[in-house]
Amino acid sequence: MLSLKFISEKPELIVSRLKIKNFDAKDLVKQLTDLDALRRKLKSELDTSQSVVNKLSREIGQYYQQGKKEDAEMARKQTATLKEDIKELAPRLGEIEENIQELLVQLPNIPHDTVPPGRAAEDNLIVREGGQMPVLNKDALPHWDLARKYDIIDFELGVKITGSGFPLYKGKGAKLQRALINLFLDTAVESGYTEVMPPIAVNEASAFGTGQLPDKEGQMYHVTADNLYLIPTAEVPLTNIFRGEILSLKDLPRMLTAYTPCFRREAGSYGKDVKGLNRLHQFDKVEIVEIQHPDRSYESLERMTRYVEKLVTRLQLPYRIILLCGGDMSFHSSKTYDFEVFSAAQNRWLEVSSVSNFESFQSHRMMLRYREVDGKLYPAHTLNGSALALPRIMAALLENNQVEDGIKIPPALVSYSGFEMIS
RNA sequence: GGAGAAAUGGCAGAGUGGUCGAAUGCGGCGGUCUUGAAAACCGUUGUUCCCUUGCGGGAACCGGGGGUUCGAAUCCCUCUUUCUCCGCCA
């Protein structure tokens, strides 16, 4: 969410910047600035009336103490009309503030200067590519066939136990998952991230803080009996650690990492996109989160991107880094890099990571601030990135490394998996 | 799930109707002292919003919401959360 003050000060800037995101903010911004002007006016009136009432009340107290009953009665009568005004104004102000809040959450984050314009995925920019494209035989199998052939992932059992999109990993498949998680966490910790194991169900305030609520409600699993949400990403609990906090300069940056299962309802998806591991309701992910000083958040974004690049490089997967265009970016992000790895048997690129700078968008929602040298409080910048999401990494690893008699495990993983080959 | 207790500033903890944004202690920050540090001493130390170019002034906040009252941290209602004991349980 953008700050109301910023919107009122720079309405044209916001409208023009949001054009990059193909978002027509004109009406919304106009409504907000109008409402803000009204809000200020009412607040002023209300404060003035309240101020007089408070003053009279203090006097009444003194009159009673001095035994001046008539003076007290007089003052008491004076408060009556003012209280009428207050009774009328206060709910109006409340309504306007609610109204403003409803509109504020509809306004997307403004993109960074370096975000290219564009409508959709075709307009994204490929920033860098790396890794070797594998050469596979014509009879190379997609990962769902490999999974069955080597008995390492059982999609049918997952359906039996839960439903589609909840795969069951077994044997070396399960071990490989664990190996990936450990590799990712260890690498993150080596790179300065503090490991955390957070709750994977969150309350409403947390889901609101990172922006899952109110608009993405249908994408989360909702535990209605307790009004909790299963996290769609560790970003939610990790960033909300700092909800309502005031950090000092020496606290910045805060760098956290966590492995969690992630849950997404993904309502409406179907077809080849959801085949095998391509899109799941439950999947594993290691996430990195940073809380950073506004002057350095873009350095962090680049550093995090290089960090994720290091991971895919270690896994020897062909990858490309994509700078999302305005139209393809998420509602909350100021700038996002996506990572895709090539899954050779499917002959397609799979998104395995998304690294974003949200600037102060989430901080405004969750009142996450830091104290600047001038002693004042400013919203901190929040960033996060997948490092990495496991299923599609698994898909690419299986497909790209298949040989005649099995699947080769990349060297970086062997010390974690304990085996060099799945056969 | 049953019974009881509680929720106050970064933390601990006073405050049961009037000058209480809130004693006191700890912590934090600044200073004195010191070669440096500690100790001691002195000072300082919440947030949001409104008005104001500035100086400054004002409103709100003692778990959330509502009520009583001229006036509420304090009284009433309600919700939530936490703790203790019992039950169940990895």
Side-chain angles (χ1 to χ4, degrees):
Chain A
M1 160 174 113
L2 300 172
S3 84
L4 189 57
K5 203 181 220 168
F6 180 52
I7 295 166
S8 286
E9 280 168 5
K10 305 262 175 71
E12 317 80 20
L13 176 77
I14 290 164
V15 172
S16 78
R17 303 278 326 137
L18 280 176
K19 280 184 184 150
I20 301 283
K21 275 196 169 181
N22 299 316
F23 187 92
D24 183 4
K26 213 172 145 210
D27 291 348
L28 206 49
V29 167
K30 174 84 167 78
Q31 285 182 65
L32 278 165
T33 48
D34 288 352
L35 279 172
D36 189 34
L38 186 56
R39 178 190 135 262
R40 285 160 189 265
K41 185 169 155 279
L42 287 181
K43 170 78 169 143
S44 273
E45 289 175 25
L46 193 60
D47 281 1
T48 308
S49 298
Q50 190 63 59
S51 173
V52 176
V53 170
N54 288 347
K55 188 162 159 281
L56 285 170
S57 293
R58 275 192 297 271
E59 286 170 7
I60 290 167
Q62 284 167 2
Y63 288 145
Y64 276 128
Q65 277 174 4
Q66 295 161 6
K68 299 180 184 169
K69 287 228 166 96
E70 302 87 47
D71 289 338
E73 274 307 307
M74 290 256 290
R76 217 154 68 79
K77 276 175 190 151
Q78 282 182 53
T79 62
T81 50
L82 284 164
K83 286 186 75 188
E84 294 281 309
D85 292 350
I86 290 168
K87 248 188 175 151
E88 198 253 330
L89 282 175
R92 269 176 66 201
L93 181 63
E95 266 175 47
I96 285 163
E97 283 174 342
E98 259 177 55
N99 212 328
I100 286 172
Q101 191 64 17
E102 277 169 29
L103 295 174
L104 269 180
V105 299
Q106 292 173 37
L107 202 61
N109 198 0
I110 54 175
H112 190 250
D113 292 340
T114 55
V115 169
R119 292 240 143 238
E122 309 85 74
D123 303 312
N124 293 338
L125 295 181
I126 297 176
V127 178
R128 272 202 300 284
E129 296 178 271
Q132 285 269 311
M133 282 298 203
V135 183
L136 298 183
N137 291 331
K138 275 193 221 105
D139 57 352
L141 298 172
H143 67 270
W144 48 87
D145 288 334
L146 293 167
R148 186 193 300 272
K149 181 175 175 187
Y150 297 109
D151 197 26
I152 49 175
I153 306 170
D154 196 323
F155 293 99
E156 290 75 20
L157 260 183
V159 170
K160 175 186 175 186
I161 298 165
T162 307
S164 71
F166 292 88
L168 181 139
Y169 301 85
K170 48 184 174 177
K172 285 184 172 173
K175 188 76 188 286
L176 191 58
Q177 284 282 114
R178 193 147 54 88
L180 284 166
I181 292 164
N182 285 335
L183 169 69
F184 295 159
L185 281 177
D186 284 354
T187 314
V189 169
E190 279 164 26
S191 300
Y193 292 92
T194 302
E195 184 176 346
V196 170
M197 195 172 265
I200 61 171
V202 295
N203 57 28
E204 267 184 71
S206 293
F208 177 83
T210 32
Q212 279 69 32
L213 290 181
D215 31 307
K216 291 188 178 171
E217 181 143 26
Q219 295 183 21
M220 287 186 292
Y221 286 94
H222 187 195
V223 184
T224 51
D226 300 288
N227 199 25
L228 298 174
Y229 295 87
L230 300 189
I231 57 169
T233 159
E235 164 198 349
V236 181
L238 287 184
T239 311
N240 273 285
I241 289 171
F242 304 99
R243 171 155 46 87
E245 294 291 309
I246 296 170
L247 302 173
S248 61
L249 279 173
K250 64 178 193 293
D251 289 329
L252 301 174
R254 294 298 303 269
M255 302 168 69
L256 299 180
T257 186
Y259 151 71
T260 65
C262 301
F263 301 88
R264 294 185 186 179
R265 293 186 64 230
E266 307 281 14
S269 323
Y270 63 93
K272 70 177 159 66
D273 282 356
V274 304
K275 186 107 181 168
L277 296 171
N278 288 349
R279 185 170 298 175
L280 301 171
H281 289 310
Q282 178 182 333
F283 63 98
D284 295 303
K285 181 159 64 67
V286 173
E287 184 81 357
I288 50 175
V289 161
E290 292 198 20
I291 315 297
Q292 181 59 291
H293 190 282
D295 292 348
R296 290 187 292 276
S297 67
Y298 281 94
E299 289 166 31
S300 277
L301 182 70
E302 296 305 318
R303 192 180 63 233
M304 290 164 79
T305 304
R306 283 195 299 276
Y307 171 74
V308 174
E309 189 171 14
K310 184 166 88 179
L311 286 182
V312 289
T313 304
R314 276 202 194 174
L315 292 173
Q316 300 179 334
L317 291 169
Y319 66 91
R320 59 187 192 188
I321 305 173
I322 289 161
L323 174 58
L324 297 192
C325 72
D328 204 28
M329 277 169 77
S330 79
F331 186 83
H332 321 88
S333 176
S334 284
K335 186 173 182 179
T336 297
Y337 290 109
D338 271 6
F339 276 74
E340 294 180 341
V341 299
F342 192 69
S343 202
Q346 296 184 76
N347 193 32
R348 59 187 292 206
W349 291 93
L350 300 176
E351 184 191 329
V352 294
S353 176
S354 189
V355 186
S356 300
N357 187 355
F358 301 93
E359 296 194 6
S360 55
F361 197 78
Q362 293 179 327
S363 290
H364 277 128
R365 290 179 156 243
M366 63 171 82
M367 291 286 278
L368 160 52
R369 293 158 302 164
Y370 72 97
R371 194 176 298 280
E372 191 46 89
V373 277
D374 64 8
K376 293 189 184 146
L377 299 175
Y378 298 92
H381 282 191
T382 63
L383 305 96
N384 69 53
S386 354
L388 293 156
L390 270 77
R392 294 172 188 165
I393 288 288
M394 179 78 108
L397 281 179
L398 296 179
E399 293 182 14
N400 296 10
N401 297 325
Q402 59 183 303
V403 291
E404 193 71 24
D405 53 345
I407 294 157
K408 286 197 293 196
I409 305 299
L413 258 182
V414 170
S415 64
Y416 287 97
S417 66
F419 49 83
E420 294 176 21
M421 194 81 173
I422 295 173
S423 51

